[in-house]
Amino acid sequence: MPAISWSDYQVFLAIARTGQLAAGARALGVDPTTAGRRLRRLEAALGARLFEQSRTGQELTEAGETLLSAVEAMASAAGRIGEDALGGDGLHGTLRISASEGFGSWFLAAHLPRFQAAHPRLAIDLVANSGFLSPSRREADVAIMLSRPRTGPLVAHKLADYTLRLYGSRDYLEAHGTPQRPAELASAHALVGYVPDLLYAPELRYLDEIHAGLKANIRSPSITAQMQLVIAGAALGVLPCFMAEGDPRLVQVLPECRITRTFWCVTHQDIRKSPRVALFRQWLDETVRDMEEVLQP
């Protein structure tokens, strides 16, 4: 049997207690689509159908009734462990998270309030800018980085892959035409990109992967500034899909040009088991797994 996440059991428990998928999702602070996906994942892992649809909502099957007793015992035990470990007051103190500007400002900022609401006594510092704080030097508790560190007293695991594509505004494409081949970018189009000597990670070199020798005409160390330049019609630019896909002002250009990068979750080995770090890492893993279609559309 594949490993089953505790969050999937929590979804099952919430639906069983409320009798409805939507009500269970609200109780957990997630959307019904996410709750339904987690329930289907749990049923697939167990090889059993846990609910039957009725006129009023979800009714437990025989397998669901059996599982409910076990999961309620697990939830009760987990609650006692949390109270013993944290003095009954929940997580407290400060959790400092370092992330790239795009992931921090556009992805984490959208989902982090849910984690904070579950731990209201925990202060959270989200440092999202062009660069990373160092877990090795204890500048951050958790860093979301673009490569796996090779040295230092660190623990790292792969968080998720994400996709980048070339985008242009509708106004720009109407004025300058839509390129059909990567080679056209060098001769007939302006490009937005990073300032070469201000690159804080080599993984941010994108243009050569689209066509050798491409150079940016307008440059900024800020991915947010680059995106605004593309929206304003100044040039074409490579942008993370999780930032650009939801903006109706932007259009994919040369859709065959797909760039993949990876986020790594990194922390100092001495604090990896602290409750605030361990629970945040678990929550983050579950969140990016649920949002895989946003990171890699």
Side-chain angles (χ1 to χ4, degrees):
M1 179 187 299
I4 299 174
S5 169
W6 170 237
S7 67
D8 294 348
Y9 284 124
Q10 288 177 302
V11 166
F12 163 77
L13 184 59
I15 297 172
R17 286 173 171 173
T18 61
Q20 294 183 329
L21 176 63
R26 283 196 301 272
L28 292 174
V30 301
D31 61 80
T33 301
T34 297
R37 186 186 306 120
R38 290 182 178 177
L39 176 61
R40 291 191 298 273
R41 186 168 64 203
L42 177 62
E43 290 179 329
L46 296 174
R49 188 173 180 83
L50 301 175
F51 294 95
E52 295 289 352
Q53 182 68 44
S54 71
R55 287 180 299 175
T56 58
Q58 277 71 38
E59 294 186 0
L60 287 164
T61 63
E62 184 177 348
E65 292 281 6
T66 301
L67 181 63
L68 179 60
S69 297
V71 174
E72 284 183 328
M74 292 164 61
S76 177
R80 290 195 300 272
I81 291 170
E83 290 174 359
D84 291 344
L86 303 169
D89 295 326
L91 295 184
H92 58 278
T94 300
L95 177 70
R96 176 166 290 184
I97 306 158
S98 174
S100 62
E101 180 190 5
F103 186 74
S105 299
W106 291 80
F107 188 91
L108 270 183
H111 299 283
L112 198 57
R114 180 162 52 88
F115 180 78
Q116 202 282 326
H119 308 286
R121 296 189 64 228
L122 180 67
I124 301 175
D125 295 341
L126 175 58
V127 183
N129 54 20
S130 300
F132 301 106
L133 299 181
S134 171
S136 294
R137 296 193 295 270
R138 305 295 183 92
E139 294 174 342
D141 298 307
V142 179
I144 314 303
M145 308 184 76
L146 298 179
S147 62
R148 182 172 192 161
R150 301 299 180 187
T151 60
L154 301 172
V155 176
H157 73 275
K158 181 178 178 179
L159 185 60
D161 291 331
Y162 68 101
T163 300
L164 306 100
R165 293 186 184 276
L166 187 67
Y167 291 88
S169 72
R170 299 182 187 280
D171 290 341
Y172 177 93
L173 297 175
E174 183 177 340
H176 302 279
T178 301
Q180 302 301 312
R181 297 178 296 110
E184 295 176 29
L185 299 174
S187 58
H189 293 277
L191 295 169
V192 166
Y194 285 94
V195 181
D197 60 344
L198 296 181
L199 278 176
Y200 60 90
E203 291 78 14
L204 298 177
R205 301 183 189 277
Y206 305 132
L207 295 180
D208 268 339
E209 294 187 31
I210 295 177
H211 186 71
L214 284 181
K215 303 294 183 183
N217 308 87
I218 306 176
R219 307 183 298 190
S220 172
S222 165
I223 189 64
T224 302
Q226 291 181 37
M227 181 168 170
Q228 291 304 315
L229 286 164
V230 175
I231 290 172
L236 305 176
V238 175
L239 300 170
C241 294
F242 63 79
M243 292 175 61
E245 280 297 307
D247 196 310
R249 296 168 294 181
L250 295 175
V251 178
Q252 279 189 25
V253 178
L254 299 173
E256 71 276 9
C257 295
R258 176 188 177 99
I259 298 170
T260 300
R261 293 290 188 267
T262 301
F263 287 126
W264 293 85
C265 184
V266 183
T267 190
H268 196 285
Q269 64 183 14
D270 290 348
I271 61 170
R272 70 187 187 280
K273 292 184 179 179
S274 74
R276 68 181 187 276
V277 171
L279 285 176
F280 174 75
R281 292 175 67 186
Q282 178 186 353
W283 171 84
L284 185 58
D285 285 340
E286 293 167 357
T287 299
V288 297
R289 185 167 63 242
D290 287 336
M291 301 302 292
E292 182 179 3
E293 293 179 2
V294 174
L295 293 168
Q296 293 185 279

